[in-house]
Amino acid sequence: MRISTERLGSEIRAGAVSLTTRSVVRALAMSGDPVMRVLGRRALEDPYPEYERIRARGAMVRHPLGMHITTDHAISRAALRDPKLGVKPAPERPGGIPWQVVSGEEARYVHPLDESMLVLNPPEHTGLRRLASPLFTPRAMQDMTRDVETVVDRVLDRVEGRARFDLVADVARRIPIEVICDLFALPDADRTAFVRWGQVLANTLDGIRTLGERREVRRALAEMTRFLSALVDERRRDPGEDMVSRLVAGEVDGEPLDGRTLVALVGILLLAGFETTVNAISGAAVALLRHPPQKQLLLDDPALAGEAVEEFLRYDAPVQMLGRIALEPVTVGGVSLPAGAMLVIVVAAANRDPAVFEEPHRFDLHRPNKRDHLAFSAGIHYCLGAGLARLETELALRHLFARMPRLALAGETRMRPVRNVRGAGAVPVLSRGEQ
Ligand code: HEM
């Protein structure tokens, strides 16, 4: 079977492999191809040995199917900052079964991952980014600290008395959604729906695999579009101090944003900060539980929580790889790429580049250069919510271990079947350790 290079490249960029290409990928994986093995089932639990096999082939690996892949830190950072490389507009980005139809009711649904700043190049990207940036300044984060702490306390209050709970469902999944709902000033009654939409869309980041999933995605997008459109209208009529009101009041090039663009913008703040932060909170806690001497460092000095967050982001990036397309001919890592060429930047592997990080596979809170990781990307798409993600994860770790110093894993953790946004689906824990 032949599949186009372009198409496979796009799917890999999205971390997705569609039904039609899956058999080709499987055949290549069985032939031992390390690039394709990254997409295989076994790499879900631990993709790092596969990343090392790719690294062993060189800093820029050209795959027979067309795209280039890099695991090199210096090349990755330079590529993410290179204006000749851009993101690929989403409508050309297949990922499994497409959720949308060309006309009718669905044409009005907004998928924030298809039409927000994340998938726009300059000049469209620039105005939207400028509009949203003031909401996430270091000063704004400082002002939010008390509120985030209140959310973390509220969530931990609910589990503290329990001998056993699930770190993902009962703790990590609740914090980012509660925080963003507070920032949007949403009533409690609307929050359950937010969690549901976030989960449905996060679970299909690798592409939609079944018709049942497509139904769920469409239902979530229909409800979310309706809800966010009404929210935007309401805040236009009756503005407050919340994030949505501030975005509604903002302008790009002297014009207010239209409803659809606002819905995509509010939606991306919900989606981009949801599963990624869930995975950072649960993943960092698990890394500490699996490395008792490192956990002890945090117990002895809770101020190390911020160091633990940075080292975790380096050690196991929640967003494992990013894709870029050459907007014009460009040289990357000494290799000339024509316009339209695809580049896959495996940031999780760049974060373990031995040329930059000594003993890169070791989880070490005292690593001096851990902040050099690329977990939040680099260049113009550098994560807008990085400060908020850091704040939430740091406060979650600090309070979790202060309240439950004997916290212990109570069995196997299960990774969610999504490759690009990596994280556990369930982490059973004992709050007072083994009895
Ligand atoms: C640990 C948690 C998080 C991780 C690992 C993460 C990671 C990333 C990465 C890698 C990108 C860049 C994608 C690219 O270069 O193509 C990104 C972009 C973005 N993130 Fe995050 N993110 C996290 C949390 C958040 C939070 C909490 C928010 C907001 C509430 C957020 C909002 C955004 C937005 C709006 C963008 C698009 C920026 C742009 O295109 O200019 N993220 N994030």
Side-chain angles (χ1 to χ4, degrees), residues 21 31 51 58 68 70 72 120 124 162 202 215 217 219 251 257 285 304 309 316 331 386 394-395 399-400 414 426 431:
T21 49
S31 75
Y51 296 158
H68 280 82
T70 187
D72 182 278
L120 290 175
E124 291 81 8
R162 289 165 56 185
R215 253 194 315 275
V217 168
R219 195 179 313 134
E251 292 183 345
L257 296 183
L304 283 178
V309 174
D316 200 5
T331 304
E394 178 179 343
L395 291 174
H399 288 268
L400 177 70
R414 240 182 333 101
S431 63

Side-chain angles (χ1 to χ4, degrees), residues 117-118 125 129 269 272-273 276 280 324 375-377 380-381 383 385 389:
M117 70 176 95
L118 194 62
H125 174 267
R129 175 89 191 196
L269 294 182
T276 46
R324 290 296 186 262
F376 290 124
S377 187
I380 63 165
H381 291 282
C383 176

